[in-house]
Amino acid sequence: MITFVTSYLFPENHHHVYAEFYFENLIGLCKEKLKLVLFVYAEDEKWIRQKILETDGTTMPFIYPIQKKQLDIWNLIHDDMTLELPKNRNAEKDNREHLWKTHISIELVNLAINTNIYRTSHFAWISHYVYY
C-alpha cells in the first residue's frame, strides 16, 4: 500500500491567484479514497477540515498541522542570511521563498514516513498545485 503526501501551505491566508484551482485539485484528491497525508498550517486546520467536510464525496485525509518555523528547510533558507543567492539568477524563481517551496516536499514526505499513520511501506508526493 502507498501513502500519498501533499500540502496546502502556499496560498497564504487563502489569497493566491491560483487558490481556487489549487483547492479544487486538493478536493479532487480527497474524492479518490487515497491514504492521504495533508500538511497544513496549524492556523488553517479548522478551515480546511470544514471545507473538506462540506464537499460531497470526500474522504478526510490525515491532516498534519505544522508551522513554517518547525521545518528544517525553512530555517536553513530563512535563518542563515549568510547564505547568498547567486547574482546571476532568475529573480522571480531564484529567491528564498521559491527555494523553500520547491524543496519542502522532501521534508514533508520524511515526516509522513516517520509518522506512518496508515502503516504503509511506500510513500509518494503529489503536487496538486502551481505557484509562481
Side-chain angles (χ1 to χ4, degrees), residues 13-76:
N13 299 316
H14 319 297
H15 299 292
H16 193 277
V17 68
Y18 297 103
E20 186 176 335
F21 171 78
Y22 179 70
F23 190 75
E24 286 176 13
N25 286 343
L26 174 60
I27 291 297
L29 287 176
C30 293
K31 289 182 176 182
E32 292 298 322
K33 312 284 189 253
L34 302 171
K35 294 181 183 314
L36 183 65
V37 174
L38 172 62
F39 287 88
V40 300
Y41 292 130
E43 60 270 18
D44 293 339
E45 182 179 5
K46 183 178 177 182
W47 178 86
I48 198 87
R49 281 186 188 281
Q50 187 62 37
K51 290 291 189 187
I52 293 169
L53 285 171
E54 289 172 355
T55 307
D56 289 336
T58 58
T59 300
M60 185 63 67
F62 176 77
I63 297 180
Y64 195 127
I66 60 170
Q67 296 293 334
K68 286 180 189 177
K69 297 219 179 239
Q70 288 177 263
L71 301 171
D72 292 337
I73 190 67
W74 171 266
N75 292 321
L76 174 69

Side-chain angles (χ1 to χ4, degrees), residues 113-130:
I113 289 168
N114 290 337
T115 304
N116 201 0
I117 191 72
Y118 296 112
R119 304 289 178 237
T120 61
S121 57
H122 294 79
F123 295 80
W125 177 259
I126 297 179
S127 294
H128 63 87
Y129 48 81
V130 293

Side-chain angles (χ1 to χ4, degrees), residues 79-129:
D79 285 350
D80 188 354
M81 298 311 275
T82 62
L83 296 174
E84 292 186 28
L85 296 171
K87 294 196 186 323
N88 184 14
R89 66 180 198 265
N90 176 333
E92 183 180 334
K93 291 192 175 182
D94 295 336
N95 57 57
R96 291 176 191 278
E97 187 69 12
H98 188 78
L99 285 170
W100 93 271
K101 288 177 179 180
T102 57
H103 290 87
I104 194 173
S105 58
I106 297 164
E107 187 169 354
L108 296 182
V109 169
N110 190 50
L111 286 170
I113 289 168
N114 290 337
T115 304
N116 201 0
I117 191 72
Y118 296 112
R119 304 289 178 237
T120 61
S121 57
H122 294 79
F123 295 80
W125 177 259
I126 297 179
S127 294
H128 63 87
Y129 48 81

